[in-house]
Amino acid sequence: MSAPGTAPYCSFEKLGSADLDGDETLLGVIEHGTGPADVSVIDGRLRAAVHTTTREDESFAEAWHAEGPKESGHHAGVAWARTPDYLLGVARVPEAGRYAAGTAAAYTAIFDLTAALGYPTLVRTWNYLSGINTANADDLEVYQDFCVGRAEALDARGLDPATMPAATGVGAHSGGITCYFLAARHGHRINVENPAVLTAHRYPPRYGTRPPIFARATWHAPPGPGEGRLFVSATGGILGHETVHRGDIAGQCEVALANIGRVISGENLGRHGLARHHGLADLDHLKVYVRHRDDIPVVRRICADRLAREATIAVLHTDIARSDLLVEIEGVVTVPPGKDPR
Ligand code: 3EB
């Protein structure tokens, strides 16, 4: 693990790990497990559980750490924990026949909370949806229903889609919708797109009446020299706006990794005004979502070939936003303080 510095950092731990109890740096834990979904705040820390896998041995705790005194609370259904500089929050929409209104309320609450508490910069969101590819009560796919609600929340608060950060939108095995997010009080945010993939909020209407709204990656740097985080969105086998290598797990996995490589490359970051360059070997704390359990060994092998040997990689068996996508991969590039731009 690199030096944490002042920006928040993540670690993957054993679920229910006693080590976390005495950890002063802990802001919150997202438990990726076999269910059920849950949210609580205890002693200034946030705890959420999402039902993102079907096997105990794939379960893990995604722990978010940040320096400084901790405080926690609730606002309009959003549970949160914060330091003076960072806010981690979770909103849930219970399992229902329709999700747009609940999702709009959840995102509106997130926007209002970040503004009210003074953490105006959203740096990352994660969205886990049970029955993501199933039809809702109106015969609309649950993922599209969710996208309607998220878009309506932006409309309601007059927010520009280009301000939405990196995200994940994948399935869960139960629990309705869980959205968690990280926001910052200070610092500089740059949203990064992928020249080979259409900006999500410009996807054509065949993918849904309202588009997904997120950036392919978000760079966030606290004030001061050097340090920062590059959060890479869940990334799949999409080129332009089309899913490629339908039914071919190896092909989709390779395109997903190539897409991530393009997003974090020096050429692309330079286009976004960031004088940095990265490769797949710089990624850590990857979460790899795999639709079919039988595909996991192939995905593990390809990831092991392309990513750093020291990288922490969690593989989760769960559905993906688009029914023809078989795998999605997300990760973080951590740039510790005091390192020269590279
Ligand atoms: C895609 O376009 C579909 O809706 O927040 C990846 C990352 C996906 C985020 C979201 C959806 C979302 O790559 C999957």
Side-chain angles (χ1 to χ4, degrees):
M1 165 84 53
S2 44
T6 57
Y9 60 100
C10 147
S11 66
F12 290 177
E13 313 283 348
K14 238 173 92 81
L15 211 64
S17 165
D19 290 1
L20 291 173
D21 286 343
D23 185 343
E24 285 289 306
T25 69
L26 192 68
L27 184 59
V29 170
I30 314 298
E31 299 180 355
H32 293 269
T34 53
D38 188 34
V39 186
S40 58
V41 290
I42 313 160
D43 297 337
R45 290 161 168 186
L46 181 64
R47 180 189 158 274
V50 282
H51 188 178
T52 40
T53 191
T54 50
R55 264 174 53 171
E56 295 288 351
D57 61 353
E58 288 165 359
S59 300
F60 71 102
E62 176 187 342
W64 282 95
H65 309 261
E67 308 297 328
K70 313 293 186 295
E71 203 190 340
S72 60
H74 290 271
H75 163 85
V78 184
W80 56 264
R82 66 171 172 173
T83 67
D85 297 321
Y86 294 96
L87 175 71
L88 181 70
V90 182
R92 275 198 64 203
V93 185
E95 219 157 296
R98 295 178 182 83
Y99 285 110
T103 302
Y107 267 90
T108 309
I110 291 170
F111 297 144
D112 292 350
L113 174 70
T114 52
L117 295 181
Y119 301 80
T121 308
L122 211 47
V123 298
R124 184 70 166 87
T125 76
W126 290 264
N127 306 279
Y128 294 94
L129 289 66
S130 64
I132 189 166
N133 302 130
T134 63
N136 78 353
D138 304 315
D139 214 26
L140 180 69
E141 190 189 41
V142 165
Y143 177 60
Q144 297 187 18
D145 193 9
F146 162 81
C147 285
V148 169
R150 178 170 51 183
E152 286 178 347
L154 271 96
D155 290 350
R157 291 298 177 264
L159 296 172
D160 177 353
T163 64
M164 284 294 274
T168 292
V170 299
H173 297 279
S174 71
I177 299 181
T178 303
C179 309
Y180 65 96
F181 65 92
L182 189 64
R185 187 183 299 284
H186 305 289
H188 183 47
R189 177 186 68 190
I190 297 177
N191 282 337
V192 176
E193 290 299 315
N194 179 347
V197 180
L198 193 64
T199 294
H201 66 262
R202 302 211 174 93
Y203 280 172
R206 73 179 224 220
Y207 300 104
T209 50
R210 300 300 305 268
I213 306 174
F214 62 95
R216 299 298 166 184
T218 295
W219 167 259
H220 182 263
E227 184 187 19
R229 304 283 181 267
L230 183 57
F231 296 96
V232 179
S233 285
T235 304
I238 297 177
L239 291 171
H241 56 77
E242 309 268 2
T243 301
V244 295
H245 298 294
R246 283 205 176 73
D248 168 8
I249 185 65
Q252 285 198 9
C253 194
E254 296 283 5
V255 173
L257 289 168
N259 272 333
I260 293 176
R262 256 190 291 274
V263 167
I264 68 178
S265 70
E267 190 189 355
N268 193 52
L269 296 180
R271 223 190 318 271
H272 291 80
L274 254 170
R276 316 196 54 77
H277 58 93
H278 293 288
L280 295 179
D282 297 331
L283 286 167
D284 203 355
H285 299 103
L286 293 114
K287 282 186 268 170
V288 181
Y289 306 98
V290 183
R291 180 183 293 277
H292 302 300
R293 169 160 300 290
D294 290 353
D295 289 342
I296 290 179
V298 174
V299 170
R300 278 194 192 280
R301 180 174 49 72
I302 295 172
C303 287
D305 282 351
R306 299 277 183 279
L307 303 167
R309 196 194 304 262
E310 319 78 66
T312 300
I313 306 173
V315 178
L316 293 165
H317 171 219
T318 197
D319 286 341
I320 318 279
R322 274 189 197 182
S323 53
D324 55 7
L325 283 174
L326 303 173
V327 59
E328 289 264 334
I329 303 173
E330 63 172 75
V332 186
V333 177
T334 297
V335 178
K339 260 191 106 179
D340 287 326
R342 48 165 294 188

